């Protein structure tokens, strides 16, 4: 029996095999002990375990109630007797043809616009002031957050007393300067203004601090270079600060939209003496307040769940519109900045060509 000695070619082939496997991205296989296998499993699986509590909690308190509400909306569901017959989408059709639903939707959007737009403008203005080098900055920043700390029930009761039609502070001040009193709790538009003022008083400081944090993250070098180029404070604010905090502005707008369309406490406690939730003529009855009245006063959980889903779809539509508008604004600004950059480059080339001709 003869044996052949390994040649140099075989040794080179054996050495090249692990190198080729490493080049292909695969390490040569080796037997792993229990600790190594456990470590590899930990590296692969631990991120999923870390994020699992959020998704479990979201499924329990978010996704399951949403799906269950949709199931309830397809039934003739009573508060006391429980589920009744299957009615399909009749609850949705009944609410879409109900004038009370459209009235609540109009009131909700009206109060939302009267609260969200002034609130965001005031929040940006306050954040810009607090971003300056003023004395006692911590004191003023904590002061604007105090209205948010006060409970909504206390705020509503205070404002309800201030906007009282007979003995309220606001009407007394109007009469003191010779103006007629305003029917804050009887007429539609004044009641919307009064409720919007509560929302603005409570949430403006909160949004101002969020925008202030975004403003402080803007590099100061950009402001200093713009100031050296001759840009004033207003020009720096509108050309540097606002475009830099656009993502935070989108976040604030979306959260204000969600909160504004779900308003409930302020109109519910604005006029406690009214037997009808939302005023005698339902002049400030919001959609969530109408939902509450349908569920607990009329005891119709099926229609109340349909109203909840219609409001959910409305919030989704508003969120998508905000996203599309913000993306359109961002793309427009990027195109304008590219055009300005191209014009500057063209002007610099013209100046360079003119200087060369002058030297020649």
């Amino acid at each position: 029996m003869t044996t052949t000695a390994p040649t140099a070619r075989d040794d080179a082939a054996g050495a090249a095999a692990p190198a080729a496997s490493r080049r292909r991205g695969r390490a040569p296989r080796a037997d792993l002990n229990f600790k190594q296998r456990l470590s590899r499993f930990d590296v692969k699986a631990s991120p999923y375990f870390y994020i699992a509590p959020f998704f479990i909690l979201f499924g329990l308190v978010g996704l399951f109630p949403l799906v269950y509400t949709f199931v309830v909306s397809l039934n003739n569901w009573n508060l006391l007797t429980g589920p009744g017959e299957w009615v399909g989408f009749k609850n949705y059709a009944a609410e879409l043809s109900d004038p009370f639903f459209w009235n609540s939707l109009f009131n909700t959007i009206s109060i939302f616009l009267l609260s969200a737009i002034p609130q965001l403008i005031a929040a940006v203005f306050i954040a810009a002031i607090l971003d300056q080098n003023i004395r006692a900055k911590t004191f003023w920043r904590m002061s604007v957050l105090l209205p948010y700390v006060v409970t909504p029930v206390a705020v509503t009761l205070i404002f309800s007393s201030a906007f009282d039609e007979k003995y309220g502070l606001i009407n007394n001040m109007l009469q003191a300067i010779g103006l007629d009193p305003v029917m804050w709790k009887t007429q539609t538009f004044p009641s919307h203004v009064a409720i919007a003022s509560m929302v603005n008083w409570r949430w403006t400081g909160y949004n101002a601090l969020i925008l202030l944090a975004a403003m402080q993250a803007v590099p100061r070098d950009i402001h200093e270079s713009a100031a050296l180029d001759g840009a004033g404070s207003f020009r720096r604010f509108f050309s540097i600060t606002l475009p830099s905090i656009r993502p935070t502005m989108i976040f604030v707008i979306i959260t204000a939209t969600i909160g504004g369309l779900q308003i409930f406490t302020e109109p519910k406690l604005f006029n406690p003496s009214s037997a009808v939730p939302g005023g005698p003529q339902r002049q400030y009855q919001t959609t969530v307040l109408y939902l509450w009245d349908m569920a607990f006063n009329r005891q119709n959980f099926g229609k109340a769940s349909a109203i909840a889903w219609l409001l959910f779809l409305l919030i989704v539509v508003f969120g998508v519109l905000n996203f599309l508008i913000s993306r359109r604004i961002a793309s427009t600004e990027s195109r304008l900045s590219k055009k300005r950059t191209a014009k500057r480059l063209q002007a610099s080339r013209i100046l360079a060509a003119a200087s060369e001709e002058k030297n020649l």
Side-chain angles (χ1 to χ4, degrees):
M1 180 175 180
T2 60
T3 58
T4 58
T7 62
R9 181 178 298 175
D10 296 333
D11 294 339
S21 64
R22 284 194 297 270
R23 284 196 298 270
R24 289 194 298 267
R26 295 178 298 177
R29 288 194 176 185
D31 294 334
L32 301 177
N33 56 27
F34 177 74
K35 278 189 176 181
Q36 292 173 337
R37 291 175 182 173
L38 185 62
S39 176
R40 177 175 292 184
F41 175 78
D42 177 55
V43 171
K44 292 182 178 180
S46 59
Y48 298 98
F49 285 108
Y50 292 149
I51 64 176
F54 166 77
F55 287 99
I56 294 174
L57 188 64
F58 171 74
L60 292 176
V61 303
L63 187 61
F64 173 74
L66 189 66
V67 176
Y68 190 73
T69 303
F70 180 72
V71 174
V72 173
S73 68
L74 302 178
N75 290 270
N76 187 11
W77 200 295
N78 188 270
L79 175 62
L80 299 178
T81 60
E85 60 177 347
W86 178 274
V87 296
F89 290 95
K90 289 184 179 179
N91 289 328
Y92 293 90
E95 288 305 319
L96 290 175
S97 60
D98 192 347
F100 287 153
F101 172 75
W102 293 106
N103 173 69
S104 68
L105 199 62
F106 167 76
N107 295 334
T108 301
I109 296 176
S110 175
I111 295 173
F112 161 68
L113 294 177
L114 290 173
S115 61
I117 296 175
Q119 178 188 146
L120 294 175
I121 295 174
V124 172
F125 179 72
I126 295 172
I129 294 177
L130 294 176
D131 193 34
Q132 305 300 317
N133 190 15
I134 59 177
R135 293 182 179 180
K137 291 187 290 186
T138 305
F139 170 76
W140 295 114
R141 291 171 186 176
M142 293 300 296
S143 299
V144 299
L145 194 61
L146 285 177
Y148 176 73
V149 179
V150 182
T151 59
V153 176
V155 174
T156 305
L157 293 177
I158 293 171
F159 274 82
S160 177
S161 177
F163 283 102
D164 189 74
E165 297 177 351
K166 291 184 178 179
Y167 308 107
L169 176 64
I170 307 299
N171 278 345
N172 288 336
M173 294 175 61
L174 292 176
Q175 289 176 350
I177 59 176
L179 298 178
D180 295 330
V182 179
M183 298 293 102
W184 298 106
K185 298 182 179 181
T186 305
Q187 298 178 353
T188 301
F189 182 73
S191 63
H192 293 183
V193 172
I195 296 174
S197 65
M198 305 182 205
V199 180
N200 293 333
W201 188 83
R202 186 166 186 264
W203 289 100
T204 300
Y206 174 81
N207 292 327
L209 287 185
I210 295 178
L211 296 173
L212 174 63
M215 290 180 184
Q216 290 184 335
V218 179
R220 297 296 174 183
D221 298 340
I222 302 176
H223 288 276
E224 293 174 358
S225 60
L228 291 175
D229 291 339
S233 58
F234 284 97
R235 181 59 183 271
R236 294 198 305 270
F237 178 75
F238 287 102
S239 299
I240 297 175
T241 304
L242 286 183
S244 300
I245 66 171
R246 186 185 301 112
T248 308
M249 285 287 294
I250 295 173
F251 168 77
V252 171
I253 291 172
I254 291 177
T255 53
T257 302
I258 295 173
L261 295 178
Q262 292 179 343
I263 185 172
F264 170 74
T265 306
E266 289 82 358
K268 176 67 175 66
L269 299 178
F270 182 58
N271 189 7
S273 61
S274 176
V276 180
Q281 285 81 36
R282 302 177 186 265
Q283 64 269 20
Y284 54 88
Q285 185 182 67
T286 59
T287 305
V288 179
L289 188 56
Y290 175 60
L291 185 156
W292 177 87
D293 180 48
M294 180 66 69
F296 297 102
N297 288 342
R298 306 188 195 180
Q299 301 179 358
N300 194 332
F301 265 30
K303 288 187 176 181
S305 300
I307 297 169
W309 259 90
L310 291 173
L311 180 62
F312 168 72
L313 295 177
L314 178 67
I315 293 173
V316 171
V317 169
F318 269 83
V320 172
L321 287 177
N322 287 332
F323 173 74
L324 294 177
I325 292 172
S326 60
R327 189 174 66 174
R328 181 66 178 270
I329 293 173
S331 61
T332 303
E333 289 185 356
S334 64
R335 287 197 300 268
L336 292 176
S337 63
K338 288 180 181 179
K339 288 181 180 180
R340 287 194 293 265
T341 304
K343 287 181 180 180
R344 289 174 184 173
L345 290 175
Q346 186 178 3
S348 62
R349 289 172 184 170
I350 292 173
L351 290 175
S355 62
E356 287 181 0
E357 290 179 359
K358 201 171 189 181
N359 293 332
L360 293 175

